[in-house]
Amino acid sequence: MKIDYSLYLCTDRNLTADIEKAVELAINGGVTVVQLREKNCTSREFFEVGKSLKKITDSKNIPLIVNDRLDIAQAIDAAGVHVGQTDLPCKVARKIWGAEKIIGVSVSTVEEAVQAEIDGANYLGVGAMFATNTKTDAKLVTLDTLKKIRAAVKIPIVAIGGINLETISKIKPAKIDGVAVVSAIIAAENPEIAAKNLLKVWRN
Amino acid sequence: MKIDYSLYLCTDRNLTADIEKAVELAINGGVTVVQLREKNCTSREFFEVGKSLKKITDSKNIPLIVNDRLDIAQAIDAAGVHVGQTDLPCKVARKIWGAEKIIGVSVSTVEEAVQAEIDGANYLGVGAMFATNTKTDAKLVTLDTLKKIRAAVKIPIVAIGGINLETISKIKPAKIDGVAVVSAIIAAENPEIAAKNLLKVWRN
């Protein structure tokens, strides 16, 4: 499956009253891939939100990736799963899910990036690039490290963490494949316009 | 897979300093099946604890069942997964995991029990039978309801919730297949003796 990683949206239900609506608008604005991220909810709730978002992403022909929970990803037949360094190892996820599905891995060092590529990751999420309120425990990654990771692996790279209209242009020199955003779209007054503006700055 | 449900141990790492040791002693004392139950830990940690317990249960030829997380169950090649009413639906878990693996379902009413059997559950966990500190939000199930559930389904039934040396005999008239315990074994000074005593009372 060929994915356009240009504008990668991570959901956060704490930032909006209507996550389905926000995701739909964001896709209308140009979001190219959606990651469902849920913490502190039951598995049933995660599954139900996932099913409902999957209908939206399917109707727009946009891939849906599930954060952390491979079982939820399987249950809703998502396009992929995204695992961090404290989630299931990429190799284990790959063995369970087979060769066809997308597996993304969060990394913050060159070593982790190289290992993830060896372990069969399809793409990397690198960050946090900037301080962010949606993940306060995230280690910061310098632009220099991002460039080194770009040089060290062949798979697509998405930068994440505090990316918005102001910070997005600082990432561009690293020549990566896309930017992941949470609050800059989800918490925006109009997620469609927010996505459109981010994509314009990213692609120009 | 034929499982002896007589004495079903649920783990709780909050109740013991060394869960591996406690499980090993409990099996020596006669525990017939072990469920790994983890809350509030990362997926990686859940996976690591699971792998380590799996080595112990494999060496003793005792089935290991994972609570809630089907992906962790798959990752450690557990014998089964146990889902509650707020976890993945039994039907969905069955579709992902195939016909061979064990799927247990927590129920507290006759309706839920019948539905779980229809959905392909291999066994039921019924409770909470008595008030318990390890699951304070659990609804209480009367002995009468337990008997009605026994009459309504054919699959094995394990009673759970506040079961210990004092309460275990109250369950016996329901003629179910086993009792599940957490603290009565895990928090016991000697889990081996605790398991031995519980099994003796249950089987006599």
Side-chain angles (χ1 to χ4, degrees):
Chain A
M1 185 184 229
K2 181 79 185 152
I3 291 188
D4 174 0
Y5 290 99
S6 303
L7 189 55
Y8 183 119
L9 174 69
C10 295
T11 67
D12 187 336
R13 282 197 292 167
N14 297 320
L15 299 177
T16 173
D18 186 345
I19 191 69
E20 281 91 358
K21 191 74 199 160
V23 167
E24 192 171 1
L25 287 170
I27 294 172
N28 291 345
V31 156
T32 56
V33 46
V34 175
Q35 181 193 117
L36 170 62
R37 183 151 71 173
E38 288 291 332
K39 300 282 173 196
N40 308 317
C41 74
T42 67
S43 295
R44 182 71 62 97
E45 203 178 344
F46 201 151
F47 170 65
E48 295 295 344
V49 173
K51 271 203 300 187
S52 136
L53 281 190
K54 180 74 170 14
K55 276 184 203 159
I56 296 166
T57 53
D58 277 357
S59 75
K60 306 274 185 185
N61 209 19
I62 291 291
L64 179 64
I65 291 173
V66 174
N67 187 60
D68 180 11
R69 293 288 299 267
L70 178 57
D71 50 356
I72 305 292
Q74 295 174 93
I76 66 169
D77 189 30
V81 69
H82 186 92
V83 290
Q85 298 292 322
T86 60
D87 300 334
L88 273 183
C90 177
K91 249 199 279 197
V92 174
R94 177 64 72 201
K95 204 175 152 192
I96 295 171
W97 221 15
E100 299 304 311
K101 291 289 189 174
I102 299 291
I103 301 180
V105 178
S106 293
V107 303
S108 57
T109 65
V110 173
E111 291 69 25
E112 287 174 355
V114 169
Q115 190 58 53
E117 187 172 48
I118 291 170
D119 291 345
N122 295 96
Y123 77 92
L124 301 177
V126 180
M129 297 311 304
F130 308 99
T132 164
N133 287 328
T134 53
K135 201 163 182 181
T136 48
D137 62 338
K139 277 177 285 183
L140 287 187
V141 172
T142 62
L143 183 63
D144 186 52
T145 296
L146 182 61
K147 285 177 179 173
K148 282 180 180 148
I149 291 174
R150 174 64 296 171
V153 301
K154 291 194 174 68
I155 51 178
I157 292 173
V158 177
I160 187 167
I163 293 172
N164 55 40
L165 273 182
E166 284 162 47
T167 57
I168 198 168
S169 46
K170 296 183 189 166
I171 305 292
K172 288 178 130 191
K175 299 190 185 310
I176 56 167
D177 305 86
V179 283
V181 295
V182 191
S183 55
I185 290 178
I186 292 291
E189 204 177 315
N190 186 327
E192 183 171 348
I193 294 171
K196 203 170 282 185
N197 289 337
L198 283 162
L199 196 61
K200 194 157 73 178
V201 176
W202 179 245
R203 283 186 169 156
N204 273 356
Chain B
M1 185 184 228
K2 182 77 186 152
I3 291 187
D4 174 359
Y5 290 99
S6 303
L7 189 55
Y8 184 119
L9 175 68
C10 295
T11 66
D12 187 337
R13 282 197 291 167
N14 297 320
L15 298 177
T16 173
D18 186 346
I19 190 71
E20 280 91 358
K21 191 74 199 158
V23 167
E24 192 171 0
L25 288 170
I27 294 172
N28 291 344
V31 156
T32 56
V33 46
V34 175
Q35 181 194 118
L36 170 62
R37 182 150 73 172
E38 289 291 332
K39 299 283 173 196
N40 308 318
C41 74
T42 66
S43 296
R44 182 71 61 96
E45 205 178 344
F46 201 150
F47 170 63
E48 295 295 344
V49 173
K51 271 203 300 188
S52 134
L53 281 189
K54 180 74 172 11
K55 276 183 202 157
I56 296 167
T57 53
D58 276 358
S59 75
K60 308 273 184 185
N61 208 19
I62 291 291
L64 179 64
I65 290 173
V66 174
N67 185 59
D68 179 13
R69 293 286 300 265
L70 177 57
D71 50 356
I72 305 292
Q74 294 172 293
I76 66 169
D77 189 29
V81 69
H82 186 92
V83 291
Q85 298 292 323
T86 59
D87 300 334
L88 272 184
C90 177
K91 249 199 281 196
V92 173
R94 177 64 73 202
K95 203 175 153 191
I96 295 170
W97 221 14
E100 298 305 311
K101 291 289 188 172
I102 299 291
I103 301 179
V105 178
S106 293
V107 303
S108 58
T109 66
V110 173
E111 292 69 24
E112 287 173 355
V114 170
Q115 190 59 52
E117 187 172 49
I118 291 170
D119 291 345
N122 296 96
Y123 76 93
L124 302 176
V126 180
M129 297 311 303
F130 307 99
T132 164
N133 286 328
T134 53
K135 202 165 182 181
T136 47
D137 62 339
K139 277 177 283 184
L140 287 187
V141 172
T142 63
L143 183 63
D144 186 53
T145 297
L146 181 61
K147 285 177 178 171
K148 282 180 179 149
I149 291 174
R150 173 65 296 171
V153 301
K154 291 194 174 68
I155 51 178
I157 292 174
V158 178
I160 187 166
I163 293 172
N164 54 41
L165 273 182
E166 284 162 48
T167 57
I168 197 167
S169 47
K170 297 183 189 167
I171 304 293
K172 288 177 130 191
K175 298 190 186 307
I176 57 166
D177 305 86
V179 283
V181 296
V182 192
S183 55
I185 291 179
I186 291 291
E189 205 177 316
N190 186 326
E192 183 170 347
I193 294 171
K196 203 170 282 184
N197 289 338
L198 283 163
L199 196 61
K200 195 158 71 179
V201 177
W202 179 247
R203 284 188 170 155
N204 274 356

